[in-house]
Amino acid sequence: MNPIVLKEKISEFLKEDLGFGDLSVAFLPGGTPLSGSFIAKQSGIICGQEIPQATYDLLGHATYKPRIPDGAPVKAGDIIGTVSGTAQNPTIW
């Protein structure tokens, strides 16, 4: 995937979705540690594992770790990746 096009598209999507900021973390003190998992909703084949980290690179302060590589089969409920970072309300928009 072309990294320039990927960054442009992610920026467009974030501008649309975040609007005036990320309300999910707006009331947390800056630097609050957060973590989460990406879970497959249905069976399929994984692809695009570079997209979450590219998104977090734009937002800052988070690291995505794929747990299943692109091309691997998954079933509903499988953890496909994890993210850890700190609460940060994006100010680039």
Side-chain angles (χ1 to χ4, degrees), residues 16-52:
E16 179 181 324
D17 288 345
L18 294 178
F20 298 104
D22 184 357
L23 295 179
S24 65
V25 296
F27 301 103
L28 294 175
T32 301
L34 300 171
S35 63
S37 298
F38 286 64
I39 300 171
K41 290 185 176 183
Q42 61 187 36
S43 297
I45 304 294
I46 290 298
C47 68
Q49 284 285 46
E50 73 275 13
I51 295 171

Side-chain angles (χ1 to χ4, degrees), residues 1-69:
M1 185 174 295
N2 181 317
I4 295 169
V5 173
L6 178 61
K7 183 177 178 179
E8 288 174 357
K9 286 298 181 187
I10 291 171
S11 292
E12 288 174 22
F13 299 146
L14 289 172
K15 286 177 190 175
E16 179 181 324
D17 288 345
L18 294 178
F20 298 104
D22 184 357
L23 295 179
S24 65
V25 296
F27 301 103
L28 294 175
T32 301
L34 300 171
S35 63
S37 298
F38 286 64
I39 300 171
K41 290 185 176 183
Q42 61 187 36
S43 297
I45 304 294
I46 290 298
C47 68
Q49 284 285 46
E50 73 275 13
I51 295 171
Q53 187 59 56
T55 303
Y56 292 122
D57 287 346
L58 287 173
L59 296 173
H61 301 87
T63 302
Y64 177 76
K65 293 183 182 177
R67 295 197 38 194
I68 298 176

